[in-house]
Amino acid sequence: MIKIVTIRSPRIVNQEQCDAFIHEIESALAQSATHIILDCSHCLYINSRALGAILHAMATLTARGGNLRVVRPQGMVRQCMETMGMLSLVEIYETVDEAMQGA
Amino acid sequence: MDPRLPPHHSDVEDLHKQLAKREAELSQLNQRLHHLIHWKNRLLNLVAQDIRTPITAIKLVAEVIEYQFQDQISPGLRRLLDIFDRNITRLEAHIDDLNLIANLDLDGISLTLGPVDLNAEVQRAITTFFPHALRRGIELDAVLGEVPPLEGDANHIRRMAMDLIGTSLARLERGQCMVVETLGKNDGAWIRVSDNGPPLSQEEVETILRQLKDHPEHQEIQISLYVAHQIAERHGGHLDIHSDGGVTFAVWLPRTAKMSKESS
């Protein structure tokens, strides 16, 4: 059964926002989400711990036969994902609606 | 010949000829020196390139293995992987040092001045270390403030930020964290890298700062710091170290590079 959860990333995911952001991802996974749409269109920065949680989500969703969809990663967020080699492993969309249609 | 007598015209001519000959010899030696430096730099660049290629391949294989088997990695194996990762990063830093040495001219680090977007360069430096921080379970944060446009060598400034971040990362264990900040003032900007790793005593801080001004000891932390210090100084800035719970490495860069000769 397909279950899609959309998570909007805060503007900055640093030490202060990281726990709440990771909790949101983990909740989605705990609710048996098969696809997570991560809206990064307003996100300026994600720290390494949050990126680790995203990578873990990616692996979990793949194991469930689903995937992680990332909406408009840009600037430093895109650079980080590129450095981690994530851009070739996730689906990139311009808008949340397009990402929803891809499910 | 009586030294009280004025020199003969022919003696003065001889002296001039000898002087001209010595000048010509000196000019030839100088040319030869520049030629040798050029070939030294080329050789170092080639060596650095040849070493970097297999290291990149080794790192890639390790990353793939770690990603594929991440759920099966025991704590013991994780510690071994941390050691592996730390040493690969150290090797990469040494290669970067080789490249930097390859760019040294007779005045020290040569700068190519131009406009510098400090936050962009610091961002690039941070993202370079993301995989490393992630693999080692170290939280790497950034707080990039408003900074004025600077004049400097963008590549060297990025290199300096990487040296500070790498130095801090090398000190940290799994679960610890570090923050990279930029802070602008009217006449320049600060780059600060703070961690919650083991503190340094005042004496240790003073020893490191003193050794930065003299010739560095051959320890990894001080080679990277020495390079960062040299780049800061060449731009007319300076490097500070504070320890209060953890350690903060901070570099001040003036708005306009005031190039100085490298201190020996």
Side-chain angles (χ1 to χ4, degrees), chain A residues 12-16 18 44-49 51-53 55-56 58-59 62 75-76 79-80 83-84 89, chain B residues 63 67 70-71 120 122-124 126-134 138-144 177-179:
Chain A
I12 293 179
V13 185
N14 58 13
Q15 270 183 334
E16 287 162 13
C18 197
L44 297 180
Y45 174 73
I46 288 180
N47 76 3
S48 57
R49 190 156 62 97
L51 209 58
L55 277 173
H56 176 69
M58 202 171 78
T62 305
M76 197 167 172
Q79 272 181 39
C80 291
T83 305
M84 295 301 302
L89 298 172
Chain B
E63 280 171 19
Y67 178 66
Q70 55 186 307
D71 293 332
V122 170
Q123 271 183 33
R124 287 195 191 109
I126 291 169
T127 52
T128 304
F129 282 96
F130 248 64
H132 181 62
L134 197 61
I138 293 166
E139 190 161 341
L140 171 52
D141 252 314
V143 180
L144 303 182
C177 58
M178 56 185 288
V179 181

Side-chain angles (χ1 to χ4, degrees), chain B residues 1-39:
Chain B
M1 185 178 165
D2 189 339
R4 291 171 298 179
L5 294 174
H8 286 176
H9 179 69
S10 60
D11 290 335
V12 172
E13 241 183 75
D14 278 342
L15 283 172
H16 275 300
K17 280 182 189 165
Q18 280 181 37
L19 187 60
K21 192 179 167 193
R22 291 283 178 261
E23 276 179 356
E25 283 171 9
L26 194 59
S27 173
Q28 269 190 355
L29 283 172
N30 205 26
Q31 270 183 24
R32 189 147 182 262
L33 180 62
H34 279 280
H35 187 72
L36 285 171
I37 288 174
H38 168 75
W39 282 105

